Amino acid sequence: MILVGRLFQLQIVRGEDYVKNFNLKTKREILLKGTRGNIYDRNGKALARNQLAYSVTFEDAVEYDTVRERQLSLNGKIYHMISLIKKYGDSIENSLKIEVGRNGEYQFTDRGFSLDRFKADIYGKPEIEDLDEKQKNATAEEIIEYLSSDEKFCVFSENGMVYTKKERKEYGLPKKMEKKALLDLLSVRYSLFLQTYQKYLPITIARNVSQETAAAVMENQSEMEGVNIEEDSIRVYEGGEACASILGYTGTISTDELKEKEGKGYSINSIVGKSGMEQYLEDILQGKDGKQEVFVDNVGRTTLDAGVVKEPQSGKDVYLSIDIELQKKTYNALERKIADLLLENIINAKSFDKTAVNDATEIRIPVYDVYTALLTNEVIDLSHFQGEEASSLEKEIVQRFQERKAEVLSRIGKELKEPSSRYLEQPDDMKKYQRFITQHIDIFLRDRIDISAGIFAKWESGGSSLSEYIQGAIHKEWIDLGKLDTDETYLEQKEIYDLVVDYIIEALRSDYDFDKMIYGQMVMSDEITPEQVCMLLYDQGVLDKQDGDFENWQQGVMSTYDLIIQKIQKLELTPADMALDPCSGSAVVVDTKTGKVLACVSYPGYDNNRLANQMDHDYYFKVSNNKSLPLYNRATQQLSAPGSTFKPITVIAGLEEGVIVPATEVFCDGVFDKVSPPLKCWNIMGHQSVTSAASALQNSCNDYLCEISYRLGMMENETFSDELALEKIQKYAKLFDMDKKSGIELPESEPQITDKYAIPSAIGQGTNNFSTVQLGRYTAALANGGTSYQLSLIEKVDDVRKDTKIESEIKLPSQVWDSVHTGMEWYAQNTGIFDGFSRTAAGKSGTAQEVSTRPDHGLFVGYAPALDPEIAIAVRIVNGYTATPAVECGRTIFEAYFQ
């Protein structure tokens, strides 16, 4: 009776009061972010530091009476917040792997496994394998439609009922949204969705907003419950483009990264290193988060703040071994030298036949390649042509482009549906379009294509039409039929072919790279003139009309060709802008006594401030699509043959194996013909008598080095063995650790010691492939007499110094070292480039050919002072024609260090 009476009182008499006042209190911990450690150079100059900033945050902690009210209120508040933030020039953090492309359509920003994982998260699947075929093949547009729908975030309707005009007005929602505004709204909703069970934790909507934005948000807080302004810190980088390849940048943690770091105190708002030293040093730089305890109710609202129970801690500061001033001077020296090479080789012509020359040094760059590159390499913003602020010239050109594109698509469609000729018989522009289709349109399953199949060989040789190739690809099952727009299960070959053609045409309509190809063809046919290209540069602010040259050009004092040459000379147009040969290079400076890296330069670089914190997606699109590959670290990842910089190893092999002595004399007549095919010396007249191993290095005599390799491969029966010679060369290359990575704390490509062609391998060709840092480590070992270090970029962490590790000690007789050191010193003196230099330098240059239709790579390795080396350097100018510019760049680096 007592129990029944008590229940009656609780449920009937006071039941309504208890329901109203019920709160489920649960204790939760909120992470208080620790400050990220700073990065300094060896002299204590800041390279990466934190700067106070404001962030806009949003917390979904409101209780709603109905689902419809929740969706309307959330979407309305977010839309209002986005509009306010963008009004003052700030942008929303994008948590989706989708962007609005240059063609105005939604497109993915990722690919492969990462994109598949993103789709699985969107559709709520634990594993990628759980996605059905439609979900796995979903386009960016379809993902946006799904997220906007009643199934997810109910942007335009809820439960099948479209929002009324009254509802939209009440909650401040438009009937339609621009693509970017919709993407921003869905990005915020997706971030909230990822934190559904932690509503007490706010998400960050925008970082590093202006004071105007912060004030506007605070003023409108009453209308946007849950929105707040918080003090935050942003990462600021010093050193500009020169240091970006080393430092990398930070960004918001991805879902994949969050899973990898589970249990380490990271949250969805955490900032982590995305590349470079920021990524490598993540565990050291990342501060330790503190804890604040709060009590939340059953809907995730905070009811009681219990205070801070653990104070946050800052991450450790890291001092790198690089010298920021040397780094910047090295970068500038590379850029200046590459620009000078362009100036030497640009000619006032529309085209140049590279197949007509026998010597790669005779290759020239027609200025029309420059005009085309300025339009197709993200220098001129093609998307601006259709914007509200487009100039009359831009509007005129885009109208002409649309007419040309319609005509091109019509020609392609006609050729595919009514094939008239083989590929070889097509006009030049149609050949390019057809190659583009087979290499870029994603309906071809390239991993299934059998290059040994007859249909592929016939297409590659130009003996078939594109129509024949596609029909053969359908028969061979090289076509992704899942992309075809049909509900039919069984289709005849012709029906499949017609659907494939329709897919190709539609894909080309929205392909930005295809658009750029058409723009390029319009330049070559003078539908867009050189004068118009230059005017576009001025209209878009790439060049300044107050530069003095504009007026001279307009008045006819300066020709358009001369204007372009002048702008390259002034570096107002850089080699990276044009991405022609040459446009890139790298250089490494190593302390010979410690193995510390004093400079590690990859040209071109990028502005990591625009990628860190809240990424500038337009800038990322520009640099990621730049054909000069600014995001690619050429110092650590690009491999090429070392050319004659490898010759000291061959000399050491010959001396150690006893096939020569320091005073061995070899006669050079300009060609080594003891093997077939013969190998020419760079001096076609021959060096005549080369009197010693040191003299062979001084003159870089191919005959002498080939003779060493020949003797290394000589068997007891006096016949030459290529395998035996290779074995000996490989032995001494491994002695200098050329088969190992350098040890530098950046992503590095695996080196390759030659395994074919012993005679060419002796002069650094064969299949030798090394990065610039690997050549730098090898040169340091040559300089210091045999200590091969694991290179390092880290000087110390806080006050704890990091010592480098010795990879190996190379023990050689003094006469061997003397021959190599003397030869390299004589070589430097022999070039004339080091005349007047304050120190005595030693070095070796090299050229490396990859294909006959592109200039050779130019390389230089060296050290100084010659008698007591302090630094060793390695320089590579990609497609630099000859080694001379690399040697000249080497002198500039030496001067920068010693000054």
Side-chain angles (χ1 to χ4, degrees):
M1 287 177 65
I2 292 172
L3 288 174
V4 171
R6 184 62 175 154
L7 286 171
F8 181 81
Q9 185 184 29
L10 291 172
Q11 293 185 312
I12 306 301
V13 178
R14 300 189 60 191
E16 188 175 346
D17 292 337
Y18 279 124
V19 168
K20 288 180 178 178
N21 296 321
F22 169 73
N23 275 307
L24 175 64
K25 293 185 179 179
T26 306
K27 185 165 72 174
R28 292 284 185 264
E29 289 181 345
I30 296 177
L31 293 178
L32 302 175
K33 289 187 291 185
T35 306
R36 193 171 183 84
N38 297 321
I39 303 176
Y40 300 94
D41 83 340
R42 67 188 298 110
N43 300 312
K45 294 182 180 179
L47 298 176
R49 57 183 175 83
N50 303 307
Q51 180 174 294
L52 182 66
Y54 296 112
S55 291
V56 182
T57 64
F58 184 61
E59 182 181 352
D60 177 20
V62 180
E63 188 176 359
Y64 302 96
D65 293 332
T66 66
V67 172
R68 191 175 184 86
E69 181 189 354
R70 178 177 185 272
Q71 300 291 3
L72 278 163
S73 181
L74 270 180
N75 291 335
K77 281 190 287 188
I78 293 169
Y79 183 76
H80 183 190
M81 177 173 56
I82 289 170
S83 301
L84 204 59
I85 291 170
K86 297 178 79 170
K87 177 181 177 181
Y88 293 98
D90 292 308
S91 56
I92 306 301
E93 284 219 329
N94 187 358
S95 61
L96 300 171
K97 295 182 184 293
I98 297 173
E99 66 180 2
V100 179
R102 294 299 177 94
N103 55 11
E105 302 297 325
Y106 291 117
Q107 63 186 31
F108 291 118
T109 59
D110 218 330
R111 61 183 66 185
F113 175 83
S114 182
L115 178 58
D116 290 341
R117 181 63 260 173
F118 168 69
K119 290 181 179 179
D121 291 338
I122 289 290
Y123 289 109
K125 304 295 182 182
E127 304 293 338
I128 293 172
E129 293 72 23
D130 297 331
L131 291 167
D132 61 36
E133 199 65 26
K134 184 177 180 181
Q135 291 169 337
K136 191 168 185 178
N137 292 319
T139 64
E141 183 76 40
E142 289 168 340
I143 295 286
I144 293 295
E145 288 178 7
Y146 169 72
L147 292 176
S148 305
S149 71
D150 293 5
E151 290 184 69
K152 210 68 179 171
F153 301 136
C154 306
V155 178
F156 303 107
S157 64
E158 186 271 329
N159 198 25
M161 298 173 62
V162 176
Y163 298 137
T164 64
K165 184 177 181 180
K166 181 180 177 182
E167 287 175 321
R168 292 198 309 273
K169 184 177 180 181
E170 180 182 352
Y171 291 98
L173 282 169
K175 187 175 183 179
K176 291 183 180 180
M177 289 188 200
E178 293 182 357
K179 286 181 177 289
K180 186 65 172 72
L182 179 58
L183 178 65
D184 287 339
L185 188 150
L186 293 175
S187 177
V188 176
R189 289 299 309 268
Y190 182 64
S191 294
L192 289 172
F193 164 73
L194 293 176
Q195 211 155 280
T196 302
Y197 300 104
Q198 292 179 301
K199 289 187 176 183
Y200 57 92
L201 292 179
I203 63 167
T204 301
I205 304 302
R207 297 182 193 272
N208 191 28
V209 298
S210 65
Q211 291 186 354
E212 290 81 5
T213 297
V217 170
M218 295 297 287
E219 288 172 6
N220 288 269
Q221 266 188 311
S222 60
E223 301 172 26
M224 302 183 296
E225 190 175 356
V227 180
N228 199 11
I229 293 293
E230 292 185 2
E231 284 190 353
D232 201 350
S233 63
I234 59 168
R235 203 65 161 167
V236 176
Y237 297 103
E238 308 293 345
E241 294 182 351
C243 293
S245 60
I246 292 179
L247 298 174
Y249 56 93
T250 58
T252 306
I253 195 168
S254 67
T255 52
D256 290 341
E257 290 167 333
L258 191 57
K259 288 173 184 175
E260 288 174 11
K261 297 181 182 297
E262 190 173 353
K264 294 184 178 180
Y266 288 84
S267 71
I268 192 172
N269 289 325
S270 292
I271 298 297
V272 296
K274 293 289 185 178
S275 67
M277 297 304 289
E278 287 278 28
Q279 186 178 47
Y280 180 83
L281 297 166
E282 172 62 27
D283 293 340
I284 295 173
L285 294 168
Q286 187 66 247
K288 292 183 179 180
D289 293 331
K291 293 180 182 178
Q292 177 185 356
E293 285 187 351
V294 297
F295 287 90
V296 298
D297 62 17
N298 54 307
V299 292
R301 293 175 300 186
T302 300
T303 59
L304 178 66
D305 185 348
V308 176
V309 295
K310 182 182 177 183
E311 293 290 343
Q313 297 178 20
S314 298
K316 295 179 179 178
D317 291 337
V318 176
Y319 293 78
L320 299 185
S321 58
I322 69 166
D323 181 318
I324 188 173
E325 296 304 322
L326 180 62
Q327 179 83 6
K328 290 193 289 189
K329 287 177 181 178
T330 300
Y331 183 90
N332 293 339
L334 272 173
E335 183 172 56
R336 178 72 267 165
K337 189 55 61 179
I338 295 168
D340 289 345
L341 280 167
L342 284 173
L343 293 169
E344 289 172 17
N345 291 286
I346 291 175
I347 58 173
N348 194 2
K350 183 172 284 190
S351 62
F352 181 83
D353 185 4
K354 296 177 183 178
T355 62
V357 297
N358 296 320
D359 186 343
T361 61
E362 297 175 6
I363 293 174
R364 295 295 175 262
I365 305 164
V367 72
Y368 266 70
D369 284 0
V370 176
Y371 302 138
T372 301
L374 293 170
L375 264 177
T376 61
N377 197 44
E378 307 304 324
V379 180
I380 293 171
D381 184 358
L382 301 180
S383 65
H384 193 267
F385 289 8
Q386 301 183 61
E388 294 180 1
E389 298 179 358
S391 66
S392 57
L393 175 60
E394 289 174 315
K395 292 176 181 177
E396 176 190 337
I397 288 177
V398 80
Q399 176 64 34
R400 208 179 306 159
F401 161 77
Q402 289 168 346
E403 293 170 1
R404 179 64 184 274
K405 184 175 180 179
E407 181 263 332
V408 168
L409 289 174
S410 174
R411 286 171 60 199
I412 292 173
K414 183 177 181 182
E415 181 60 36
L416 288 174
K417 292 178 180 178
E418 304 170 14
S420 59
S421 56
R422 298 176 302 157
Y423 173 82
L424 282 177
E425 297 164 352
Q426 297 284 340
D428 287 343
D429 65 333
M430 187 58 70
K431 287 178 182 176
K432 292 179 180 179
Y433 299 141
Q434 292 187 5
R435 284 291 177 190
F436 182 91
I437 289 170
T438 59
Q439 293 170 5
H440 293 274
I441 302 301
D442 64 357
I443 200 165
F444 292 94
L445 297 168
R446 290 178 181 81
D447 56 338
R448 288 192 190 178
I449 294 175
D450 180 6
I451 61 175
S452 64
I455 182 65
F456 182 83
K458 191 175 181 181
W459 163 250
E460 284 294 297
S461 65
S464 67
S465 67
L466 179 57
S467 173
E468 289 174 319
Y469 176 65
I470 293 173
Q471 292 186 54
I474 294 171
H475 179 71
K476 294 282 189 181
E477 299 183 349
W478 298 346
I479 297 293
D480 186 356
L481 300 182
K483 293 186 179 296
L484 301 181
D485 185 16
T486 179
D487 296 325
E488 297 293 329
T489 306
Y490 300 103
L491 293 169
E492 295 180 359
Q493 173 95 0
K494 185 179 184 308
E495 292 174 316
I496 294 174
Y497 177 78
D498 289 342
L499 288 170
V500 170
V501 171
D502 292 342
Y503 182 90
I504 289 171
I505 297 299
E506 285 306 308
L508 292 175
R509 287 188 198 282
S510 58
D511 194 297
Y512 181 62
D513 289 328
F514 183 67
D515 288 353
K516 290 198 290 186
M517 179 176 282
I518 293 176
Y519 274 113
Q521 290 297 311
M522 291 175 70
V523 172
M524 296 306 294
S525 62
D526 286 317
E527 292 174 79
I528 299 175
T529 66
E531 290 72 26
Q532 288 174 327
V533 171
C534 289
M535 184 55 73
L536 289 170
L537 293 171
Y538 281 108
D539 284 350
Q540 293 194 358
V542 178
L543 299 178
D544 183 2
K545 289 185 178 180
Q546 306 303 317
D547 59 9
D549 296 325
F550 179 75
E551 187 176 348
N552 289 335
W553 175 57
Q554 289 285 282
Q555 293 175 355
V557 176
M558 178 184 291
S559 70
T560 301
Y561 172 77
D562 289 335
L563 176 68
I564 288 293
I565 294 298
Q566 180 82 331
K567 294 307 175 186
I568 297 172
Q569 173 65 41
K570 293 179 179 179
L571 290 177
E572 292 175 34
L573 294 175
T574 68
D577 289 333
M578 292 162 285
L580 302 171
D581 291 337
C583 67
S584 60
S586 56
V588 176
V589 183
V590 179
D591 186 324
T592 59
K593 294 178 172 61
T594 65
K596 297 289 187 180
V597 177
L598 306 181
C600 182
V601 169
S602 174
Y603 180 84
Y606 59 95
D607 184 352
N608 44 357
N609 282 301
R610 298 181 69 176
L611 300 186
N613 310 304
Q614 191 163 324
M615 180 177 282
D616 182 338
H617 288 280
D618 286 339
Y619 179 71
Y620 179 77
F621 181 89
K622 177 179 177 179
V623 295
S624 61
N625 284 277
N626 189 315
K627 294 172 186 175
S628 65
L629 307 179
L631 298 175
Y632 177 60
N633 192 329
R634 294 182 180 274
T636 64
Q637 294 177 295
Q638 184 171 28
L639 302 175
S640 79
S644 294
T645 63
F646 187 83
K647 286 178 178 178
I649 288 179
T650 306
V651 168
I652 290 170
L655 292 168
E656 278 293 275
E657 292 296 319
V659 300
I660 62 169
V661 295
T664 295
E665 183 175 350
V666 172
F667 185 80
C668 169
D669 61 0
V671 60
F672 184 80
D673 54 7
K674 292 183 179 180
V675 295
S676 182
L679 195 150
K680 294 180 181 179
C681 187
W682 67 267
N683 185 340
I684 57 175
M685 301 304 294
H687 290 101
Q688 306 306 307
S689 180
V690 181
T691 58
S692 65
S695 181
L697 291 176
Q698 174 191 5
N699 294 287
S700 196
C701 178
N702 287 349
D703 263 20
Y704 198 110
L705 275 295
C706 291
E707 177 65 27
I708 292 175
S709 183
Y710 185 76
R711 293 183 186 184
L712 288 172
M714 192 60 63
M715 297 189 295
E716 292 181 1
N717 60 0
E718 297 300 311
T719 59
F720 173 71
S721 168
D722 195 81
E723 292 78 9
L724 180 60
L726 271 175
E727 183 182 317
K728 300 288 178 61
I729 291 172
Q730 290 167 347
K731 173 184 173 181
Y732 289 93
K734 290 177 181 177
L735 184 68
F736 279 85
D737 298 315
M738 300 296 277
D739 58 333
K740 301 182 182 75
K741 293 182 180 180
S742 72
I744 197 168
E745 298 91 348
L746 291 171
E748 183 179 354
S749 298
E750 196 74 41
Q752 179 182 334
I753 294 175
T754 185
D755 58 3
K756 293 179 181 176
Y757 320 118
I759 300 301
S761 294
I763 59 171
Q765 295 293 149
T767 57
N768 280 309
N769 258 322
F770 307 112
S771 68
T772 310
V773 287
Q774 288 148 15
L775 292 176
R777 191 252 294 270
Y778 146 68
T779 309
L782 285 174
N784 64 35
T787 303
S788 177
Y789 290 100
Q790 289 185 9
L791 301 189
S792 177
L793 282 162
I794 302 173
E795 190 71 22
K796 61 181 180 177
V797 177
D798 279 345
D799 293 325
V800 180
R801 190 165 298 279
K802 180 189 175 184
D803 293 327
T804 45
K805 294 180 180 179
I806 293 176
E807 186 76 61
S808 64
E809 291 281 5
I810 304 162
K811 304 296 184 184
L812 296 174
S814 59
Q815 62 178 3
V816 175
W817 286 120
D818 288 345
S819 290
V820 171
H821 291 157
T822 300
M824 294 179 72
E825 188 177 339
W826 285 355
Y827 170 81
Q829 294 171 356
N830 199 44
T831 63
I833 293 171
F834 292 92
D835 290 352
F837 182 47
S838 61
R839 307 291 197 282
T840 302
K844 188 71 195 75
S845 66
T847 56
Q849 185 187 71
E850 286 189 2
V851 291
S852 60
T853 55
R854 301 181 73 178
D856 298 344
H857 305 316
L859 300 102
F860 173 70
V861 299
Y863 54 87
L867 295 180
D868 185 18
E870 293 180 29
I871 60 167
I873 67 173
V875 181
R876 182 195 335 253
I877 296 181
V878 181
N879 305 118
Y881 284 85
T882 68
T884 299
V887 182
E888 292 169 341
C889 199
R891 170 169 175 160
T892 304
I893 295 169
F894 280 138
E895 288 175 336
Y897 172 81
F898 287 110
Q899 287 172 1

